[in-house]
Structure formats: C-alpha cells, structure tokens
Amino acid sequence: MSLPAGLAVAAATLALDQALKAWASSGAMPENGYAPIAELGGLGLGATLVYNPGIVFGMVLPEADSRLLVIVLAAAIASVVLVRMVRSRRILLNVARGAVVGGAASNIIDRARVGAVVDYLVVHTGPQVRFVFNLADVAIIAGALLLFAAAAAYALLPGKPA
C-alpha cells in the first residue's frame, strides 16, 4: 500500500510540474519578467519564465559545463530515495520520498531536454530580493523536510540507541 502511494505522488508531481513548465514555455508567462499573482505585506508571489542553468531557487553553478554533473548527482540521489521507497512500508515516508523523486525527475528531464530547469514562480521581498522556482523544487524541499522531521522524531523515541 505504501509503495503505490509514493509512486503516485512521484508521478503526479512529475506530470503536474511538466505540464506547468510546458504552459509557461508556451508564452503564457513573461520571460524574465514578472506577472503579479498575490501580495501580502512585503511578500509577493508572481509568475515568470526563467531557464535556470543553476540549482534550486536560481542559485548559479560555478561553471557552465557542470550540467552533466548535476544530472548525474540528481539522478543518483533520486535513485537512492526510490530504492528506499521500494523497501519501506511507511506510507507517510513514501509520500515524502515520492515528492523528492517526482521533483528530481522533472528537473532532470528539463536539464536533459533544454539544458536548464524551467522555473515559473517568483517570490520576492522587495525590488532586489527574489527567489525563482517551480513545483518540482517545492516538492523536493517539502519531501526532504518531512524525511528529516521523521528521522528526528525517530531518533527522539524512547528506547532507541543514540
């Protein structure tokens, strides 16, 4: 039961993120521009189209030739998480693993297909501070945080070795 749940989350994350990337790339969003979605105090959410050759949230890689290294590293991490998902019977952990695998797979597809990750969401706290990302990035971070929280909770259980 837990493996199908994890695989369903991975497939849904991959499909939805790729659909949003295709929509953003079709001209629906301004390239390197900003279309506001919501503002709350000094925090704004908007849409944009950015081809990010770097890593998460628009961080730039040290060299342009590191694309293959990033693909291999992301694929290795996603593979390890997928193997852990196959071996686990914990549904919540497999849902978190599915989010990581689906997000990583979507970003790997972008890097292999267009040489960069397609980002389409922007959060800003002012005119200069902004973070550009996509659903895959959100899934990877949310899944990883859930896995870290579960590991911390497990470590704190009474009777477990330190």
Side-chain angles (χ1 to χ4, degrees), residues 59-99:
M59 289 185 246
V60 180
L61 288 170
E63 352 179 322
D65 295 334
S66 55
R67 181 176 86 167
L68 182 60
L69 175 65
V70 172
I71 290 173
V72 169
L73 183 60
I77 292 169
S79 297
V80 168
V81 173
L82 183 60
V83 167
R84 294 285 300 167
M85 183 173 25
V86 169
R87 293 181 178 171
S88 175
R89 294 189 179 163
R90 295 188 170 137
I91 192 163
L92 186 60
L93 294 181
N94 276 354
V95 165
R97 290 179 180 120

Side-chain angles (χ1 to χ4, degrees), residues 31-146:
E31 188 166 351
N32 294 319
Y34 180 75
I37 296 173
E39 298 281 334
L40 181 62
L43 186 67
L45 175 66
T48 189
L49 174 61
V50 174
Y51 293 94
N52 178 7
I55 52 177
V56 72
F57 295 124
M59 289 185 246
V60 180
L61 288 170
E63 352 179 322
D65 295 334
S66 55
R67 181 176 86 167
L68 182 60
L69 175 65
V70 172
I71 290 173
V72 169
L73 183 60
I77 292 169
S79 297
V80 168
V81 173
L82 183 60
V83 167
R84 294 285 300 167
M85 183 173 25
V86 169
R87 293 181 178 171
S88 175
R89 294 189 179 163
R90 295 188 170 137
I91 192 163
L92 186 60
L93 294 181
N94 276 354
V95 165
R97 290 179 180 120
V100 171
V101 168
S106 186
N107 284 344
I108 290 168
I109 288 169
D110 287 357
R111 287 189 190 284
R113 190 173 48 86
V114 296
V117 173
V118 179
D119 287 333
Y120 47 82
L121 292 171
V122 139
V123 171
H124 68 85
T125 57
Q128 299 297 326
V129 181
R130 65 182 220 158
F131 300 99
V132 182
F133 58 99
N134 57 43
L135 176 67
D137 296 335
V138 173
I140 291 167
I141 290 171
L145 287 174
L146 184 56

